[in-house]
C-alpha cells in the first residue's frame, strides 16, 4: 500500500524510484561480491554422513485412518483462531512480531488500525461466505529408498503410488552434524520396519474471484488487497489446523496434544509438514505427483499451473512426517553429481532438473554445458 501511494503521487514518485534504483544497485553489488557455496562433499560421502536412526529401537506409529480423506466446504470459523497474524502485517509492509507490533512506537498506531480493519473484514468474509475452504489429506504406507521415499497404494506395500524425490545437504559441516535429507526420517525399505507418511492440500480461496471482481469494479483496491491477504492467512491456518487434527485424530500419534496458538505457530509439536518449493524440498515439480496422489482437483477443487503454482492462489500443500527427530532445514547448494543422480531418479533430463533447481545449483550450468 505504501509503495502504491508513492508511485501514484506526482511529488513522491521520482524520489521513490530513485531510491529503489540506489537500493537495487547496492543489492547487485553485494550479490557480485558474494563468495560461493564453498567446497561440497561428494554426494556419496554426504549420504554416509546423513541423519542416523536406530530403526530396531523405534516403532513408527500406524495411522488411525489410513487412505485419503476429503474435507469439502470446511467451516471458515474453525480456521480463524489458527491465523498467524505476523505475515499479515508484512503484507502491508509493517515490520514487527505480533502482537508486539500493536504497541510498537513507530508503527503501532497504524498496525492497530489495520488489525481492527482486518478483524471486521474477516467477520464479513466468514458471515458472507465470500470464500470457501476445502482440503484433502492422505496417510499411506511408505519406505525410504536411498534419498527417495516410496509411497504405496495399500498395506501390501507392493504397488508404488508415488516416489517422493528428495535432495540432501552437501555442504561440509563440523564433526557430529548430519548432512540431512527428508528421507532420513522414514524407515529404509531393507529394514523391514513398516513406516508411513502423509500428504495434504488445502485452500481457502475458492470463489474469491467473484468478490475480487466486485471490488475491482468499485475501484476498491484496499478491500481487494485485504481479501487476498486474509484468504492467504486462512489457507495457512487451514494447514495448521489440519496438521493438528492429523496428529490428534487421523494419524493419532499425539492424541492428547494440547497446545495454544503461539505454541502451534512456534511448531512445538512432533512432526513436520514440508512443502515442495521450500528449503527442505525445493523442487516445485514434486507437487504434480502429490496432487495426483490426493486427486486434489476432485477432492479439494485445487489445480496446478504449468509452472506448478496452485490455483486458487490461497492454498498450501505438502507432506507429513511423524518421526520425533523430523525437523525443517535448508538443503542449500548442490553439486553436479547430486543433480545428475537426482535427474536420473526422477526420469528427467539433466537440463530439465537444472531449470527447476537453478537457485540451488553450486555451479553454472551454462559454463558446464560449454565445457562438456
Amino acid at each position: 500500500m505504501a509503495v502504491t501511494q508513492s508511485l501514484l503521487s506526482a511529488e513522491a514518485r521520482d524520489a521513490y524510484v530513485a531510491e529503489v534504483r540506489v537500493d537495487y544497485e547496492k543489492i547487485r553489488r553485494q550479490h557480485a561480491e558474494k563468495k560461493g557455496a564453498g567446497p561440497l562433499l561428494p554426494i556419496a560421502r554426504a549420504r554416509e554422513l546423513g541423519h542416523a536412526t536406530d530403526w530396531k529401537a523405534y516403532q513408527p506409529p500406524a495411522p488411525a485412518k489410513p487412505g485419503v480423506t476429503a474435507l469439502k466446504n470446511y467451516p471458515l470459523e474453525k480456521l480463524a483462531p489458527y491465523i498467524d497474524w505476523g505475515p499479515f502485517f508484512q503484507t502491508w509492509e509493517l515490520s514487527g512480531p505480533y502482537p508486539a507490533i500493536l504497541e510498537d512506537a513507530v508503527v503501532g498506531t497504524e498496525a492497530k488500525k489495520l488489525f481492527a480493519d482486518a478483524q471486521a473484514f474477516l467477520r464479513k468474509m466468514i458471515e458472507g461466505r465470500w470464500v470457501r475452504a476445502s482440503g484433502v489429506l492422505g496417510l499411506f504406507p511408505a519406505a525410504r529408498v536411498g534419498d527417495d521415499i516410496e509411497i504405496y497404494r495399500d498395506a501390501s506395500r507392493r504397488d508404488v503410488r508415488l516416489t517422493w524425490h528428495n535432495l540432501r545437504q552437501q555442504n561440509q559441516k563440523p564433526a557430529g552434524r548430519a548432512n540431512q535429507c527428508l528421507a532420513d526420517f522414514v524407515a529404509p525399505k531393507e529394514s523391514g520396519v513398516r513406516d508411513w507418511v502423509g500428504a495434504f492440500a488445502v485452500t481457502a480461496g475458492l470463489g474469491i474471484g467473484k468478490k475480487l471482481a466486485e471490488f475491482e469494479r468499485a475501484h476498491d483496491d484496499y478491500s481487494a488487497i485485504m481479501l487476498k491477504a486474509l484468504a492467504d492467512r486462512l489457507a495457512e491456518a487451514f494447514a495448521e489446523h489440519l496438521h493438528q487434527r492429523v496428529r490428534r485424530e487421523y494419524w493419532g500419534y499425539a492424541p492428547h496434544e494440547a497446545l495454544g496458538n503461539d505454541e502451534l505457530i512456534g511448531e512445538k509439536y512432533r512432526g513436520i509438514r514440508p512443502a515442495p518449493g521450500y528449503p527442505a524440498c525445493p523442487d516445485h515439480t514434486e507437487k504434480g505427483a502429490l496432487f495426483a496422489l490426493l486427486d486434489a482437483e476432485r477432492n479439494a477443487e485445487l489445480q496446478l499451473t504449468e509452472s506448478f503454482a496452485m490455483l486458487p492462489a490461497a492454498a498450501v500443500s505438502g507432506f507429513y512426517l511423524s518421526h520425533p527427530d523430523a525437523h525443517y532445514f535448508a538443503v542449500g547448494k548442490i553439486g553436479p553429481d547430486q543433480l545428475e543422480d537426482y535427474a536420473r531418479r526422477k526420469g528427467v533430463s539433466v537440463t530439465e532438473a537444472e531449470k527447476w533447481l537453478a537457485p540451488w545449483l553450486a555451479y553454472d550450468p551454462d559454463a558446464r554445458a560449454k565445457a562438456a
Side-chain angles (χ1 to χ4, degrees):
M1 188 166 133
V3 172
T4 304
Q5 289 175 340
S6 296
L7 291 174
L8 290 176
S9 168
E11 295 80 13
R13 182 178 60 246
D14 291 346
Y16 177 75
V17 171
E19 183 182 343
V20 170
R21 284 201 181 102
V22 170
D23 288 343
Y24 272 80
E25 180 56 37
K26 181 180 178 182
I27 291 169
R28 278 192 291 270
R29 187 169 60 253
Q30 290 173 338
H31 181 74
E33 294 171 354
K34 273 185 181 178
K35 295 182 179 179
L40 300 182
L41 296 173
I43 185 57
R45 178 57 179 159
R47 286 170 178 154
E48 291 174 355
L49 296 173
H51 179 85
T53 293
D54 181 359
W55 293 103
K56 293 180 180 178
Y58 174 73
Q59 180 59 52
K65 189 178 181 183
V68 174
T69 301
L71 301 167
K72 292 189 176 181
N73 295 317
Y74 205 82
L76 295 175
E77 54 269 25
K78 288 188 176 182
L79 305 181
Y82 290 82
I83 288 178
D84 177 3
W85 288 101
F88 169 80
F89 290 103
Q90 294 168 15
T91 300
W92 299 88
E93 298 187 345
L94 295 176
S95 299
Y98 173 81
I101 191 172
L102 301 178
E103 304 301 330
D104 186 88
V106 177
V107 300
T109 300
E110 187 63 27
K112 282 180 181 177
K113 181 179 181 300
L114 180 64
F115 189 58
D117 285 354
Q119 295 297 310
F121 201 96
L122 182 60
R123 285 193 295 272
K124 292 178 183 178
M125 285 177 65
I126 294 174
E127 292 168 2
R129 300 300 177 197
W130 291 357
V131 294
R132 291 186 296 110
S134 285
V136 57
L137 70 103
L139 299 168
F140 308 94
R144 172 187 169 188
V145 179
D147 284 350
D148 295 334
I149 298 170
E150 289 186 349
I151 298 177
Y152 305 109
R153 182 177 299 277
D154 54 39
S156 70
R157 298 172 179 259
R158 289 191 293 267
D159 183 8
V160 178
R161 285 279 308 278
L162 177 157
T163 298
W164 174 14
H165 303 95
N166 284 289
L167 293 163
R168 182 176 296 279
Q169 294 174 327
Q170 279 188 268
N171 57 308
Q172 294 191 19
K173 297 189 173 189
R177 296 270 306 277
N179 285 78
Q180 301 172 101
C181 174
L182 289 173
D184 292 346
F185 304 118
V186 177
K189 191 173 185 178
E190 65 271 18
S191 72
V193 176
R194 300 172 74 82
D195 211 341
W196 302 75
V197 302
F200 74 96
V202 298
T203 178
L206 295 171
I208 195 173
K210 180 179 179 181
K211 202 67 183 178
L212 283 176
E214 180 183 318
F215 290 139
E216 288 165 4
R217 284 193 300 270
H219 304 290
D220 188 352
D221 294 337
Y222 180 76
S223 292
I225 295 170
M226 182 69 79
L227 178 58
K228 291 177 184 178
L230 289 176
D232 286 342
R233 289 297 87 215
L234 284 169
E236 293 287 351
F238 198 172
E240 189 73 82
H241 171 66
L242 184 56
H243 194 190
Q244 183 184 64
R245 290 196 65 187
V246 165
R247 297 190 301 273
R248 287 175 172 179
E249 306 168 38
Y250 295 106
W251 204 326
Y253 60 81
H256 306 298
E257 178 189 284
L259 300 177
N261 201 39
D262 288 344
E263 292 170 304
L264 293 176
I265 292 171
E267 298 165 359
K268 302 301 183 183
Y269 44 76
R270 169 181 166 180
I272 58 174
R273 54 173 190 275
Y278 281 75
C281 49
D283 187 355
H284 281 281
T285 69
E286 292 294 294
K287 275 185 264 185
L290 169 65
F291 269 51
L293 175 71
L294 297 172
D295 196 358
E297 184 168 355
R298 182 174 67 88
N299 287 322
E301 301 178 62
L302 274 164
Q303 296 177 312
L304 289 175
T305 68
E306 291 182 355
S307 58
F308 296 94
M310 292 177 285
L311 296 175
V316 185
S317 65
F319 296 92
Y320 294 128
L321 296 175
S322 69
H323 195 283
D325 291 346
H327 60 276
Y328 299 106
F329 57 87
V331 167
K333 297 294 185 179
I334 63 172
D337 56 347
Q338 179 166 198
L339 190 284
E340 291 173 2
D341 181 72
Y342 184 76
R344 177 189 56 76
R345 283 152 39 207
K346 279 181 70 79
V348 300
S349 69
V350 168
T351 302
E352 179 75 3
E354 286 176 333
K355 180 182 83 170
W356 290 104
L357 293 172
W360 292 273
L361 300 180
Y363 63 95
D364 181 347
D366 292 332
R368 187 164 173 269
K370 290 177 183 177

